[in-house]
Amino acid sequence: MIDVQHWLSALPPGVIYLLVAGVIGVESMGVPLPGEIVLVSSALLAATGVVEPEWVASAAAFGAIVGDSVGYAIGRRGGRPLLARLGRRFPNHLGPAQLARAEQSFARHGVWAVFFGRFVALLRILAGPLAGALHVPYRRFLVANAAGGLVWAFGTTYLLYSVGRAAEHWLKDISWAGLVLAVLAGLGSTWWLRRRAHRVASVDGAADLEAAEVPPGAIGGQSSASVAPAVDPVRAGNEL
């Protein structure tokens, strides 16, 4: 990430804003790119005065919202065959296992998977195309997509910017320590959401396993074989 930051610092501010929007936008369409690394590096540059934080955040939000919308349109047109082709092309990122987990998140949590997916690497890539392939209503998708993109872009940028400025002020003679603190703050900004997403996934998996272990004929803790057969009252009366 330090190499990315050093490389970006040699570019004009306008080019950096375009790169932030472009990389995050293409990533949101379903192509695995280091969008979060580019955003974190640009936010740290904003703390040193190379770029403006509001423009970095705006570029990131624009790329996220537009990229997810384009990915939604592509997924809606291409459907599941498109997701299968992407899985063959990027097996380590979009293989069958990753796609199954993302689809399970959509099935259980609906458009909230789009919002929280902005903070999780896998769902950040798959949210748009998968929502389109599953025919999620676009209005609901757009609301969750825009909210997640804005919170992620502005929250990450300004958190890193604030920490970087404080570190530069108090740790002028220990620049590496300021960088470490800024990076840790950036990672911490998404830690809680990622932990929550993984916890929900493990709980869902445990529930599915428990349901699969119940015998198909079990009713109220007894098997179907132990249920007494029904008695025909008419026949019983005739026998008496």
Side-chain angles (χ1 to χ4, degrees):
M1 185 172 63
I2 297 177
D3 292 338
V4 174
Q5 184 181 354
H6 178 73
W7 177 72
L8 287 174
S9 64
L11 300 175
V15 177
I16 295 177
Y17 303 143
L18 290 176
L19 276 175
V20 170
V23 172
I24 293 175
V26 174
E27 179 192 45
S28 301
M29 294 178 193
V31 179
L33 289 180
E36 190 171 41
I37 293 178
V38 171
L39 176 59
V40 170
S41 300
S42 301
L44 293 176
L45 286 178
T48 63
V50 175
V51 290
E52 299 297 329
E54 62 269 21
W55 284 106
V56 171
S58 298
F62 177 82
I65 296 171
V66 174
D68 269 341
S69 295
V70 174
Y72 175 93
I74 294 174
R76 191 172 183 89
R77 178 178 292 270
R80 297 191 63 86
L82 173 65
L83 298 176
R85 288 198 299 271
L86 288 174
R88 289 192 296 268
R89 181 159 187 161
F90 305 104
N92 295 329
H93 297 86
L94 307 176
Q98 292 87 343
L99 181 60
R101 287 200 301 270
E103 187 172 6
Q104 184 182 36
S105 296
F106 266 87
R108 292 186 181 275
H109 308 296
V111 293
W112 282 107
V114 178
F115 179 86
F116 286 108
R118 179 49 55 183
F119 300 86
V120 181
L122 173 63
L123 284 178
R124 183 163 59 247
I125 299 172
L126 282 174
L130 189 58
L134 296 177
H135 294 278
V136 175
Y138 180 70
R139 289 185 179 180
R140 297 176 59 195
F141 167 80
L142 181 60
V143 171
N145 172 35
L150 289 170
V151 171
W152 175 72
F154 279 85
T156 301
T157 300
Y158 275 96
L159 177 62
L160 290 172
Y161 173 77
S162 300
V163 173
R165 294 291 289 178
E168 184 181 4
H169 178 73
W170 294 106
L171 302 170
K172 291 182 180 179
D173 297 330
I174 316 177
S175 58
W176 62 267
L179 177 61
V180 169
L181 287 175
V183 171
L184 290 177
L187 296 175
S189 65
T190 58
W191 174 82
W192 182 85
L193 288 169
R194 288 181 177 176
R195 183 180 178 185
R196 178 180 175 84
H198 289 311
R199 181 178 298 176
V200 169
S202 27
V203 169
D204 291 342
D208 292 341
L209 181 60
E210 183 179 352
E213 291 176 351
V214 177
I219 301 176
Q222 298 180 350
S223 64
S224 57
S226 63
V227 178
V231 178
D232 187 349
V234 177
R235 182 178 177 180
N238 293 335
E239 289 178 355
L240 294 176

